[in-house]
Amino acid sequence: MQTLKNEYESGGVPVEERGCCGRCERHNTIVVLDDNNTEIIVSDLNPSTIQEQFIDNPAIAIAREREENATATAKLDAALNDDIL
């Protein structure tokens, strides 16, 4: 969190602690707003790699999370629509 504060707060981007976002099993998660004001959850970050995994190119991190979410949603939809009877 301190790394994010150091990087973004001086530019007017608020960095604050929030409650649960539902990804406890994928610790060190941040929630960011994209250009459409949509919340994107980026997980699996840690203090030694946050610069590379998010700060250096947030657009890539956001795109990766969107793709991961789309894949998970498609798998869930397929499972729910599968006729197992």
Side-chain angles (χ1 to χ4, degrees), residues 21-58:
C21 65
R23 289 217 180 155
C24 294
E25 75 283 359
R26 297 180 66 191
H27 59 83
N28 295 325
T29 295
I30 60 174
V31 178
V32 297
L33 295 177
D34 68 5
D35 293 336
N36 299 319
N37 212 30
T38 301
E39 285 189 351
I40 305 295
I41 301 172
V42 180
S43 297
D44 305 319
L45 301 169
N46 69 63
S48 63
T49 62
I50 194 166
Q51 185 74 40
E52 177 186 329
Q53 291 179 332
F54 183 78
I55 294 171
D56 287 347
N57 200 329

Side-chain angles (χ1 to χ4, degrees), residues 40 60-75:
I40 305 295
I60 288 176
I62 289 169
R64 184 178 57 241
E65 289 298 328
R66 280 190 182 127
E67 183 176 331
E68 183 178 317
N69 287 335
T71 299
T73 299
K75 286 179 180 179

